[in-house]
Amino acid sequence: MTKDDENSTGMADKIKTNHLKPPASAAINHDLASLAKDIIASAGVGIYIVQDTRFVYVSELYQKLTGYTDQELLGDNSLKNIHADDREKVRQQAIKCLKKESFEPYEYRFTRKDGELRYILETVTPIMFKGKRATLGSFMDITERKIMEEKYRGILENIQEAYFEVDLNGHCIFFNDSLCRITGYPREELSGASYKNITDEENSRIVFQAFHKVFKTGQPTEGFDWRIKRKDGTQSYIEASVSLQKTASGKPVGFKGIIRDITERKNIEQELQHLATHDTLTGLPNRLMVGQLLDHAIQSAHRYNRQLAVFFVDLDRFKTVNDSLGHDAGDRLLKEVAARLRQSLRHVDVVGRLGGDEFIILIEDFQDVKQLEILAHKILATVMQPMFLLGEECRVTASIGISVFPQHGRDEQSLMKNADIAMYFAKEEGKNNFQFYSENMHAMSSARLAIETNLRHAIERNELYLNYQAQLDFRTNEIAGVEALLRWNNRYLGLVTPTQFIPIAEETGLIVPIGRWVLRTACMQNVAWQKQGLPPVSMAVNLSLRQLMDETFLQDVRDILEETGLAPQLLELEITENMVMHSPARLIPVLTKIKALGVRLTIDDFGTGYSSLAQLKNFPIDSIKVDRSFIRNLPQDRDNKAITEAIINMGRSLNLTVIAEGVETKEQERFLRRKVCDEMQGFYFSKPLEPEQFAELLRQYSLSRKSES
């Protein structure tokens, strides 16, 4: 179902943004989605909307932080999972928010779905939603910070103070033993020594200025921080409070003060600062820090008339790795990619993680765009290198969007947004590539958003339908099978091609319910043809990797076969060669269970991946389809001839049915017959047809075969 026919047109030809007219009923949902995405992009927090204490919207990050799905949350009581001792506080905050009395952030405890208690920092804002008052909340997990604070609380409460007296030249004339302990110097070395002995040049100026201010004003200082150099060469931080010492007549004779060792406090502050500005998994600067660094880089580029580039890097199919190998493997993959990105860059370049599988790179001080292209190629090659996760070899690719200051934006928000837009176009170009931002991408990005918004309602609006393309058996000259091809005709966008909407369906997860609809519809249609007295044929349905790895997929197949009454052997599920090689150890058990149902399995687009004969024999498959790219120039192209012959021979050696896709000419058909290919599919025999048209083709072919016999 993920495959389009030869006449597919591009997005620019099919969808003109100035003709897009989203339905009025979708306006609120569209605005809400835009609002939530903007907030999430800028704050990096989970977002929700509550109306009458019930959830009416929850973002994907909120679901991830709480462990609950949107199906479990929407319509449920928003106070349900808040710690009992904190519910009244949260409820009062919501009331104050609606009265516009308080918008201050507050903390409370929350129980995740897995039972784990987490600390939350939340801010709420009043909004209007569907004509009624509601509360928009931002939800941030601060458990790690709370743990850190508790860890060091005891240390902070037990700091011992040191007392000292110095003359007007800063030489020690009296002090207690705590000063020896704090500085590491014995008493005999501190006596008569200058404060300069335990500090560096930078901090000497700070101390001098503080003492000088006390001398000039006569007023004691509030505590000021001072980095000292201990006798063993290590550094410590102290906080000093100093006042002026005078004689009975009021003449200044020196200074006295209290010193506290605040090294632990400084370390904690630095660690908390690091936690606040860096990603805990990879150690890279987080969204907040990247924003600050980018803003500083923009100011510098503007001041010195230089260029600045922003690389928005998104891993391809990361969710598939996460779902198939588990979150531990996904975390290891992210850490490995982070390390590879750092190694690919100069030490002056910045790489940060925005969240999920999104990374950002800031490149300053480059001469021309060619340097950026070379770097982008280097990053793609580095990311694609194999890595081992939980004992399995795994490869991922990346899509990169690039924006350049000042051509593509003069502020942080514009550069980030435009690099993000360019990244999406890199994905639409087939992933594992990079794209520079251009002005016409705005219109195309709006078109993409329109597709995503309308696709969410395509099933309920009955806008999806199937065409069917016949497969001819070379030996019997009979129609042996048919492939179901998904089509979408939207009331506002018109005909949208599979190459436009299928990638969006996969990215958003909509491919799972859509794929379930395709499977049920195709099986029902096959049974309907048989009830018309037509001969049974095999029905091929394409699968995406996301569908195949969905935990409900196997049960869906069982239920649909039982519901429709289709014989399992008449259902053929197609998976691509790249899917097969993604994670063999995980996929083989899944495919084996499908095969046990009696369903046939086919590898589609064969020849475009990296599978070998040794690997192929381990999969419980029945057929392989030669990719149309090898058929296109037959029999003139020598390389394509050799590859096609090799695939046919490989299939014969493994007792697999070999089907040639994209057959369009008599010459191609003759070549395939001579090489003893089993079946063909393509425009030469039949274009994709509506159900009634295919039924008529099958009827005519069946009658002609009977008359011949």
Side-chain angles (χ1 to χ4, degrees):
M1 80 186 185
T2 61
K3 191 163 41 198
D4 195 17
D5 57 67
E6 301 290 311
N7 292 334
S8 297
T9 57
M11 179 180 290
D13 295 330
K14 278 293 183 182
I15 302 178
K16 304 295 183 183
T17 54
N18 58 335
H19 292 160
L20 296 180
K21 298 179 180 179
S25 62
I28 292 177
N29 290 338
H30 180 276
D31 293 343
L32 176 58
S34 298
L35 173 63
K37 285 182 179 179
D38 288 344
I39 296 174
I40 291 169
S42 62
V45 296
I47 301 298
Y48 68 85
I49 294 179
V50 168
Q51 201 170 60
D52 297 329
T53 74
R54 303 285 175 180
F55 286 110
V56 294
Y57 170 82
V58 287
S59 71
E60 290 183 2
L61 185 54
Y62 185 92
Q63 298 172 50
K64 181 177 179 182
L65 290 172
T66 64
Y68 290 91
T69 64
D70 54 354
Q71 293 93 337
E72 294 171 315
L73 290 168
L74 294 179
D76 204 2
N77 190 330
S78 61
L79 299 174
K80 179 179 177 182
N81 296 301
I82 296 174
H83 193 283
D85 294 341
D86 295 339
R87 287 176 188 166
E88 183 59 23
K89 175 175 70 174
V90 175
R91 192 177 71 83
Q92 290 299 327
Q93 285 289 342
I95 292 173
K96 290 180 180 179
C97 167
L98 291 175
K99 291 181 179 180
K100 300 184 179 180
E101 293 178 355
S102 174
F103 309 103
E104 294 296 321
Y106 55 92
E107 298 178 9
Y108 64 87
R109 291 162 292 177
F110 183 95
T111 304
R112 284 173 43 88
K113 184 177 180 180
D114 58 11
E116 185 178 2
L117 189 67
R118 307 293 290 181
Y119 286 87
I120 303 304
L121 179 65
E122 191 166 87
T123 305
V124 290
T125 306
I127 63 170
M128 294 298 294
F129 178 63
K130 294 186 177 179
K132 296 176 64 178
R133 291 192 304 170
T135 301
L136 172 68
S138 64
F139 182 98
M140 179 182 293
D141 190 328
I142 60 168
T143 306
E144 303 301 328
R145 192 184 79 190
K146 296 292 288 188
I147 292 173
M148 184 67 67
E149 290 174 354
E150 290 298 325
K151 176 181 176 182
Y152 291 106
R153 188 180 301 279
I155 297 173
L156 294 174
E157 292 174 349
N158 290 287
I159 294 175
Q160 297 182 15
E161 298 178 348
Y163 176 79
F164 70 92
E165 295 179 7
V166 298
D167 60 21
L168 291 177
N169 293 318
H171 295 98
C172 287
I173 56 178
F174 180 80
F175 52 89
N176 64 0
D177 290 340
S178 290
L179 187 64
C180 299
R181 175 182 56 80
I182 291 173
T183 63
Y185 285 90
R187 177 170 288 275
E188 57 271 19
E189 291 188 38
L190 283 178
S191 297
S194 169
Y195 68 85
K196 295 181 180 180
N197 291 16
I198 60 171
T199 188
D200 55 29
E201 183 177 346
E202 177 187 350
N203 280 266
S204 289
R205 288 196 299 270
I206 295 173
V207 177
F208 174 80
Q209 290 169 0
F211 277 59
H212 184 67
K213 182 178 180 182
V214 173
F215 182 81
K216 294 288 288 184
T217 65
Q219 298 298 315
T221 65
E222 297 179 358
F224 66 93
D225 294 353
W226 173 10
R227 188 177 65 239
I228 65 171
K229 183 172 56 180
R230 289 171 52 86
K231 182 176 175 62
D232 61 7
T234 61
Q235 291 184 340
S236 292
Y237 287 89
I238 60 174
E239 181 184 71
S241 298
V242 179
S243 60
L244 192 62
Q245 271 193 316
K246 301 178 182 179
T247 64
S249 61
K251 179 181 179 181
V253 293
F255 304 89
K256 62 182 178 179
I258 298 294
I259 286 177
R260 303 173 184 86
D261 187 338
I262 60 169
T263 304
E264 294 296 338
R265 191 189 81 188
K266 278 289 185 180
N267 290 339
I268 295 168
E269 289 175 354
Q270 291 172 2
E271 193 163 355
L272 290 174
Q273 175 68 13
H274 185 83
L275 285 173
T277 58
H278 288 75
D279 174 49
T280 54
L281 177 65
T282 63
L284 297 177
N286 62 13
R287 182 182 294 274
L288 174 65
M289 188 66 174
V290 166
Q292 295 173 353
L293 293 172
L294 177 54
D295 185 61
H296 182 271
I298 291 171
Q299 294 179 33
S300 177
H302 180 74
R303 185 180 303 115
Y304 297 107
N305 195 28
R306 295 173 179 168
Q307 295 188 102
L308 164 70
V310 176
F311 282 43
F312 199 112
V313 183
D314 187 273
L315 302 184
D316 302 325
R317 299 193 306 173
F318 170 72
K319 189 178 189 316
T320 302
V321 175
N322 223 23
D323 292 344
S324 59
L325 297 182
H327 292 288
D328 287 344
D331 287 348
R332 293 186 188 183
L333 186 149
L334 291 173
K335 291 166 70 174
E336 175 63 23
V337 169
R340 293 183 181 187
L341 291 177
R342 277 194 295 253
Q343 293 166 4
S344 300
L345 303 172
R346 304 169 302 181
H347 73 279
V348 295
D349 300 325
V350 174
V351 56
R353 182 184 175 214
L354 299 184
D357 59 345
E358 296 177 340
F359 296 86
I360 201 80
I361 297 173
L362 310 182
I363 307 296
E364 298 183 76
D365 194 23
F366 62 91
Q367 299 303 315
D368 54 45
V369 172
K370 188 65 177 177
Q371 287 179 271
L372 300 180
E373 293 176 352
I374 293 172
L375 178 59
H377 281 296
K378 181 180 179 182
I379 291 171
L380 292 175
T382 301
V383 171
M384 194 170 58
Q385 292 298 314
M387 65 185 75
F388 286 88
L389 302 174
L390 303 181
E392 287 195 40
E393 181 178 311
C394 178
R395 292 175 186 261
V396 293
T397 57
S399 298
I400 303 176
I402 306 173
S403 63
V404 178
F405 172 89
Q407 300 94 306
H408 304 147
R410 292 180 172 269
D411 56 68
E412 172 200 342
Q413 184 177 2
S414 298
L415 288 171
M416 292 279 282
K417 178 182 177 182
N418 292 339
D420 189 14
I421 290 173
M423 181 275 295
Y424 274 108
F425 280 87
K427 284 190 177 293
E428 290 179 0
E429 289 297 316
K431 304 181 176 64
N432 193 30
N433 73 97
F434 64 90
Q435 296 290 323
F436 284 89
Y437 173 78
S438 63
E439 288 296 333
N440 65 347
M441 284 184 177
H442 264 301
M444 298 174 72
S445 180
S446 298
R448 185 188 186 283
L449 179 60
I451 289 176
E452 179 180 340
T453 302
N454 284 278
L455 188 58
R456 295 184 181 277
H457 306 285
I459 295 178
E460 63 190 63
R461 292 173 181 168
N462 295 318
E463 295 175 346
L464 300 177
Y465 63 97
L466 298 180
N467 279 169
Y468 300 90
Q469 189 170 32
Q471 296 170 347
L472 180 70
D473 189 317
F474 278 129
R475 293 168 299 157
T476 64
N477 283 326
E478 294 180 350
I479 295 177
V482 61
E483 180 177 358
L485 300 171
L486 179 60
R487 300 292 185 263
W488 179 28
N489 189 1
N490 178 259
R491 64 180 73 175
Y492 306 103
L493 307 178
L495 286 171
V496 187
T497 66
T499 53
Q500 292 171 313
F501 71 83
I502 290 297
I504 296 175
E506 291 180 342
E507 289 174 21
T508 59
L510 292 171
I511 195 66
V512 174
I514 289 175
R516 191 180 299 118
W517 178 90
V518 170
L519 185 61
R520 177 177 287 106
T521 303
C523 291
M524 290 173 61
Q525 184 60 69
N526 199 335
V527 172
W529 286 330
Q530 293 179 55
K531 289 181 179 179
Q532 296 174 27
L534 296 171
V537 292
S538 178
M539 174 66 73
V541 176
N542 289 275
L543 298 180
S544 74
L545 184 58
R546 196 157 185 176
Q547 283 178 269
L548 192 60
M549 299 309 299
D550 185 78
E551 59 184 11
T552 66
F553 178 72
L554 197 64
Q555 188 59 46
D556 287 342
V557 175
R558 290 195 190 97
D559 292 345
I560 290 171
L561 288 174
E562 182 178 352
E563 172 190 336
T564 62
L566 181 68
Q569 64 270 21
L570 292 181
L571 176 61
E572 187 173 334
L573 299 179
E574 295 189 3
I575 56 178
T576 66
E577 185 180 10
N578 286 330
M579 284 169 57
V580 167
M581 300 315 299
H582 172 74
S583 179
R586 294 263 176 177
L587 282 179
I588 289 175
V590 176
L591 297 177
T592 301
K593 290 177 182 178
I594 294 174
K595 197 77 172 70
L597 298 177
V599 175
R600 293 173 57 82
L601 292 170
T602 296
I603 294 184
D604 196 8
D605 300 337
F606 191 80
T608 59
Y610 302 96
S611 58
S612 65
L613 181 62
Q615 293 168 319
L616 199 60
K617 68 181 182 181
N618 294 323
F619 289 89
I621 59 173
D622 301 282
S623 308
I624 54 176
K625 279 190 168 183
V626 184
D627 187 72
R628 66 181 66 243
S629 62
F630 301 119
I631 306 300
R632 185 173 297 122
N633 296 319
L634 288 180
Q636 295 85 0
D637 191 297
R638 295 174 57 185
D639 292 337
N640 284 353
K641 282 176 61 177
I643 292 172
T644 302
E645 287 184 43
I647 294 174
I648 293 173
N649 291 332
M650 177 188 291
R652 187 182 299 118
S653 67
L654 294 175
N655 293 320
L656 300 175
T657 300
V658 180
I659 306 166
E661 293 185 286
V663 180
E664 298 183 351
T665 66
K666 181 65 176 176
E667 291 75 15
Q668 292 169 354
E669 187 256 359
R670 286 174 178 170
F671 173 82
L672 294 167
R673 282 186 183 275
R674 287 199 309 270
K675 299 304 176 183
V676 199
C677 185
D678 297 301
E679 298 177 13
M680 75 168 180
Q681 176 181 340
F683 280 21
Y684 178 70
F685 178 63
S686 173
K687 295 181 179 181
L689 303 172
E690 295 181 1
E692 298 78 12
Q693 294 174 318
F694 177 79
E696 183 60 29
L697 176 67
L698 184 59
R699 184 177 294 109
Q700 291 177 2
Y701 237 78
S702 178
L703 290 174
S704 65
R705 294 299 298 154
K706 288 181 180 178
S707 63
E708 290 176 7
S709 59

